[in-house]
Amino acid sequence: MTNANLAFVFPGQGSQQIGMLADAAAEFPEIPSTFSEASDVLGYDLWDLCQHGEQADINLTERTQPLLLTASVALYRAWCAKGGARPVRMAGHSLGEWSALVCAGSLVFTDAVRLVRERGRLMQEAVPAGEGAMAAVIGLDDAAVEKVCAEAAGDEVVAAVNYNSPGQVVIAGSKAAVERAIEGCKAAGAKRAMPLPVSAPFHTELMRPAAEQLAPQIESTVFHAPEIQVVHNVHAKPESEPESIKKLMIEQIYSPVRWTACVQSMAADGAETLLECGPGKVLSGLAKRIDRKLGSHNIDTPEKFNEALLATAG
């Protein structure tokens, strides 16, 4: 059954927690089986890592990315197995765009696991530890943040990289330039401007080397036209041509995540309810700030999962 008012959204880095999906895995067999499939590709036990490892281990980018992809795909498989309503549109935040493409039928899951492990490794290696930084800016509009970044950059890099919701923007770049921009944002009237516990400046020009290194692997992987529309981070539009999707997924690594525009695009196209398919409720919270009329559910526990099944059954 398709629900024309339903959109699925898939979280990115930051939503990982030790012990996540433990209750859901006990109820939905698709979750352990999907983790087992990913573990075979990775060469280590991904489920054991996220249940019994240390938070620092799952925060390593090359582990975080396959972990969150697997968690999201596992939940989507469980949703389909329970007869959950099929959405007509999807979007994912940064890494989550890979989850969306798998769930939309554009990419084979095991190929995605392999690619995002490499994506994470290359993104982490693109800038030596300690030389890059990211920071969240609360309470300034996009144009003001962009102006501060332009003034703070000098001969270094700092830019707005995640347009998460109106008044919530993440900036990233060279460590010293980000520090200058934090002070500039505070001076410009930001309610808060604070460093994030991330060492790599994701979605900036500093990530272009990672994109260039990953490009041949993306280009040699088979992509299909998605069966469900996926709204892309780069330009907040859907794309149906596989070769164009590949280019967007390369470009996405060093381009801003236009999340506010992605959600607004889906709402303008008829989405009334967003279902967050992955651990946590970060995107559900952002949805309320982007468009108060949007309903949202997260499905990372059996109780929330079953509530969402009932709420979206039409």
Side-chain angles (χ1 to χ4, degrees), residues 169-195:
V169 178
V170 174
I171 62 174
S174 310
K175 190 170 188 289
V178 170
E179 288 168 355
R180 290 193 295 272
I182 287 173
E183 294 311 310
C185 287
K186 288 176 180 175
K191 290 178 186 172
R192 282 187 291 167
M194 52 202 173

Side-chain angles (χ1 to χ4, degrees), residues 3 5-11 72 75-80 84-87 89-92 100 103 259 263 266 271-285 287 294-301 304-313:
N3 182 336
N5 301 321
L6 179 64
F8 269 60
V9 291
F10 298 87
S72 287
L75 279 169
Y76 187 73
R77 288 175 171 178
W79 180 263
C80 294
R86 181 183 170 93
R89 54 192 71 77
M90 295 177 163
C103 295
W259 188 249
V263 173
M266 293 191 294
E272 296 176 2
T273 301
L274 298 190
L275 200 152
E276 184 164 0
C277 192
K281 52 185 178 182
V282 170
L283 301 183
S284 301
L294 283 170
S296 62
H297 298 271
N298 52 306
I299 60 168
D300 57 348
T301 68
K304 292 171 184 171
F305 187 104
N306 290 322
E307 283 172 20
L309 273 177
L310 288 171
T312 58

Side-chain angles (χ1 to χ4, degrees), residues 8 20 25 28 30-31 99 104-105 111 135 139 161 168 185 189-190 197 202 225 252 259 272 292 303 312-313:
F8 269 60
M20 66 188 202
F28 308 124
E30 295 77 20
I31 292 174
S99 307
D111 286 342
V161 295
Q168 184 179 329
C185 287
F202 300 136
Q252 187 229 44
W259 188 249
E272 296 176 2
R292 289 178 182 276
E303 295 77 20
T312 58

Side-chain angles (χ1 to χ4, degrees), residues 122-123 125-127 204-215 253-254:
L122 292 167
M123 288 171 78
E125 291 176 357
V127 176
T204 66
E205 276 294 319
L206 298 171
M207 290 290 114
R208 196 178 279 268
E212 290 170 351
Q213 290 176 73
L214 189 62
I253 294 171
Y254 57 85

Side-chain angles (χ1 to χ4, degrees), residues 49-286:
L49 175 71
C50 78
Q51 297 303 306
H52 306 116
E54 298 293 330
Q55 189 69 32
D57 294 332
I58 65 169
N59 286 351
L60 290 169
T61 301
E62 68 179 275
R63 290 185 174 167
T64 311
Q65 296 203 12
L67 172 58
L68 288 172
L69 169 80
T70 302
S72 287
V73 171
L75 279 169
Y76 187 73
R77 288 175 171 178
W79 180 263
C80 294
K82 288 292 184 184
R86 181 183 170 93
V88 296
R89 54 192 71 77
M90 295 177 163
H93 191 289
S94 187
L95 164 78
E97 196 162 286
W98 287 95
S99 307
L101 288 172
V102 171
C103 295
S106 183
L107 183 63
V108 172
F109 172 58
T110 50
D111 286 342
V113 172
R114 176 176 50 80
L115 286 170
V116 301
R117 173 179 58 186
E118 279 299 286
R119 180 181 184 269
R121 183 181 69 80
L122 292 167
M123 288 171 78
Q124 190 63 60
E125 291 176 357
V127 176
E131 291 187 15
M134 299 183 80
V137 180
I138 311 295
L140 274 189
D141 65 37
D142 296 352
V145 175
E146 290 162 0
K147 183 172 184 286
V148 168
C149 287
E151 292 168 352
D155 58 358
E156 295 180 298
V157 171
V158 61
V161 295
N162 292 354
Y163 295 89
N164 284 336
S165 67
Q168 184 179 329
V169 178
V170 174
I171 62 174
S174 310
K175 190 170 188 289
V178 170
E179 288 168 355
R180 290 193 295 272
I182 287 173
E183 294 311 310
C185 287
K186 288 176 180 175
K191 290 178 186 172
R192 282 187 291 167
M194 52 202 173
L196 295 174
V198 178
S199 59
F202 300 136
H203 299 291
T204 66
E205 276 294 319
L206 298 171
M207 290 290 114
R208 196 178 279 268
E212 290 170 351
Q213 290 176 73
L214 189 62
Q217 296 177 57
I218 291 177
E219 287 161 356
S220 65
T221 301
V222 175
F223 281 61
H224 304 279
E227 297 160 13
I228 298 167
Q229 274 193 1
V230 175
V231 176
H232 290 273
N233 290 178
V234 171
H235 56 24
K237 299 173 186 172
E239 179 55 65
S240 59
E241 180 58 48
E243 292 308 310
S244 298
I245 293 170
K246 290 181 183 184
K247 287 175 184 164
L248 286 167
M249 297 312 288
I250 295 164
E251 193 178 334
Q252 187 229 44
I253 294 171
Y254 57 85
S255 299
V257 175
R258 302 191 179 280
W259 188 249
T260 299
C262 288
V263 173
Q264 289 171 338
S265 169
M266 293 191 294
D269 196 35
E272 296 176 2
T273 301
L274 298 190
L275 200 152
E276 184 164 0
C277 192
K281 52 185 178 182
V282 170
L283 301 183
S284 301
L286 293 178

